[in-house]
Amino acid sequence: PLWRIGGSVQQNPHMRAFWASTISFFLAFLGWFALAPLALDVASSMEICENQKFPPADYPTQAAYLKFKNLKSGKFYCQYGKDNDDKPTDCKDVPSDIA
């Protein structure tokens, strides 16, 4: 049975290996996926934000900029719209009547 933890190594070596690998996988999974939420805390403690790591002038097609909307003014980063509303990759070009 799975829950027979007691016993000698001669009686149930496979169960010890099973539980050791289960616990090891859990710790590896926890350690790997716990890093993503901590990245926000590390960035805020260093007092940096995405604009400082990726300046808009150098990285104009960064996904965060293409989806950005100013809450106060209601204006978007892409003044003339995005090339795709669901998964934008770039802003639309300036219309010829304006340029």
Side-chain angles (χ1 to χ4, degrees):
L2 281 177
W3 296 107
R4 194 177 86 193
I5 296 175
S8 66
V9 176
Q10 289 79 20
Q11 289 176 334
N12 59 356
H14 57 285
M15 290 311 299
R16 290 178 183 226
F18 170 78
W19 286 114
S21 63
T22 301
I23 292 168
S24 298
F25 175 76
F26 173 75
L27 292 175
F29 186 85
L30 182 71
W32 184 257
F33 287 102
L35 295 177
L38 289 177
L40 297 173
D41 289 335
V42 171
S44 65
S45 69
M46 292 171 53
E47 296 180 356
I48 63 171
C49 64
E50 191 165 356
N51 290 346
Q52 291 170 320
K53 293 193 314 188
F54 303 104
D58 297 337
Y59 300 93
T61 60
Q62 188 75 8
Y65 302 139
L66 297 175
K67 296 179 181 179
F68 175 78
K69 177 183 177 182
N70 189 331
L71 295 176
K72 290 183 181 179
S73 66
K75 294 183 180 179
F76 289 95
Y77 173 77
C78 295
Q79 287 183 320
Y80 304 106
K82 301 174 264 190
D83 59 354
N84 185 352
D85 288 335
D86 294 333
K87 293 184 180 181
T89 56
D90 202 359
C91 295
K92 288 184 180 176
D93 293 331
V94 179
S96 59
D97 57 342
I98 296 174

